[in-house]
Amino acid sequence: MTTLLTHIGKIITWHSDRQSMIIDTESDIMIEDGRIIKIGPDLGEADYIIDCHGKMVSPGFVDSHTHPVFMHGREEEFQMRLQGATYEEIALAGGGIVSSIKGVREATEDELIHKVRDRMDTFLSLGTTTIEAKSGYGLDVESELKSLSVLDKVNQHHEIDIHSTFMGAHAFPPEFAKNKDGYIEYICQNMLPKIAKQGIAEYCDVFCEKGYFSVEQSRKILVTAKQYGLKIRLHADEFVDSGAAELAGELNACSADHLMAISDNGIQSLKENHVVATLLPGTTFFLGKSTYAPYKKLKLAGVNIALATDFNPGSCYIQSMPFMLALACIYLKMDILDAFKASTIMGAKALGLEKTVGSIEEGKKADIVVWNVEDPVEIPYNVNQSLIRSVIKNGKKLK
Ligand SMILES: [Zn+2]
């Protein structure tokens, strides 16, 4: 079956041959069996026609950093924070990550599947067609395996493409609070072998940060994960410069994420080792902080930059990539075409998927957003409006 997108005003996409973003104003898009087979003027007839009415189309978003496997939102903690409560006060009241851990450990797989499926419906409706999703609210063997199994089962029955990450090193669970090195051993000797055997996780992520997992502890976990065949990514230099970006370079990670406190050496390390810098402006925004990642410095250094949501119940309860475009433009001073590049092809690169998704090019998956706008800058400008006309996933129009 063929599908033709016609009367397109503008195609905004990465162009592999030119190695830049382009705005194509002349072309139709022909899709067959879920793939883009031809892009050009007057492509003729097809079994199914999608009239874009002169509006803009872009690739589906690739959200390369999310934490969607949890039971409940943490509104009470949000409220406490608004009233000035500290991290410690929130933890004492039973809030923080510990409450999400309790939720996942006590939940059945079916209960979690329900929650994650609903969240994926929302992601897709907001234009995200490929997503990275982490475990990391179980923090024991059984609950981490359960979290990954939930992602696998949702992925099998949902249009969105989910790529899973094992994040046992998200925090220290209460039973290891006084034996941190013991938890590192537990991850390396008990968790990772079983995660690898389960075969769902493609990546391993670590929260490498002062007060969480040190560079040495992170290195040990990530080196072991690599031995089990997992690709690696890091939460790096979010609050202080702890040398996490340098570690990402040393270990040839796919991506180093957050980076609000990255050093010049860290930037150099990402550049030299081709590690994607994934910026998550939603977290700074949602926490009411003002320190965003040094986007201009990273760009000047020639580092590849991706944008993602960091959707999670604590520090960023935001699923919208269009909203991330707005934050990137307003707070990081990112050019809108660069923001599209960061949230499509660079998101794909951060996951090692740049050959199959992230741009509107012949041979790629037909993952496309048809917008209700004519120019890309209308998206950050109309910051609170849903401007998506339809989402096309694997060539199928979803709404
Ligand atoms: Zn995160």
Side-chain angles (χ1 to χ4, degrees), residues 65-67 134 167 170 205 235 258 280 310 312:
H65 185 136
T66 76
H67 304 256
K134 303 174 203 295
M167 197 175 177
H170 193 189
D205 195 342
H235 283 59
H258 282 298
L280 309 164
D310 192 24
N312 76 80

Side-chain angles (χ1 to χ4, degrees), residues 74-94:
R74 296 189 344 222
E75 298 84 352
E76 285 169 22
E77 167 187 334
F78 179 73
Q79 173 84 341
M80 284 180 75
R81 204 167 54 232
L82 297 185
Q83 290 164 350
T86 62
Y87 183 87
E88 288 74 22
E89 286 165 341
I90 289 167
L92 268 177

Side-chain angles (χ1 to χ4, degrees), residues 91-269:
L92 268 177
I97 195 168
V98 173
S99 68
S100 296
I101 295 166
K102 193 163 177 283
V104 166
R105 287 182 177 178
E106 289 172 0
T108 65
E109 190 165 303
D110 277 348
E111 286 169 334
L112 280 167
I113 285 173
H114 251 87
K115 295 279 185 185
V116 173
R117 200 175 49 209
D118 287 353
R119 288 171 192 142
M120 291 303 152
D121 290 346
T122 304
F123 277 116
L124 197 56
S125 73
L126 291 164
T128 297
T129 47
T130 301
I131 191 165
E132 182 264 10
K134 303 174 203 295
S135 70
Y137 293 116
L139 307 189
D140 61 27
V141 170
E142 189 195 334
S143 309
E144 287 296 303
L145 290 171
K146 177 171 70 182
S147 299
L148 290 164
S149 173
V150 165
L151 290 169
D152 186 45
K153 286 184 178 148
V154 174
N155 190 34
Q156 284 176 31
H157 296 104
H158 203 284
E159 286 100 344
I160 203 167
D161 285 325
I162 303 175
H163 293 267
S164 298
T165 297
F166 163 62
M167 197 175 177
H170 193 189
F172 290 91
E175 60 273 22
F176 281 99
K178 294 200 171 76
N179 179 16
K180 294 194 168 174
D181 283 335
Y183 188 53
I184 310 304
E185 289 303 313
Y186 179 72
I187 290 175
C188 293
Q189 289 172 18
N190 293 59
M191 285 182 163
L192 276 167
K194 296 194 177 84
I195 297 294
K197 188 158 175 244
Q198 185 192 32
I200 293 167
E202 297 171 49
Y203 319 92
C204 178
D205 195 342
V206 170
F207 193 2
C208 182
E209 185 79 30
K210 193 161 179 276
Y212 296 86
F213 294 83
S214 70
V215 166
E216 290 69 34
Q217 291 169 334
S218 302
R219 183 186 285 112
K220 185 157 188 211
I221 293 165
L222 294 170
V223 166
T224 309
K226 270 183 135 177
Q227 286 164 357
Y228 281 105
L230 297 173
K231 290 178 267 184
I232 60 171
R233 41 204 330 109
L234 283 86
H235 283 59
D237 303 331
E238 179 177 355
F239 306 119
V240 294
D241 165 32
S242 58
E246 287 88 332
L247 180 66
E250 173 194 322
L251 298 177
N252 289 109
C254 300
S255 174
D257 302 23
H258 282 298
L259 307 173
M260 284 90 104
I262 190 173
S263 68
D264 290 349
N265 281 341
I267 292 175
Q268 212 44 46
S269 176

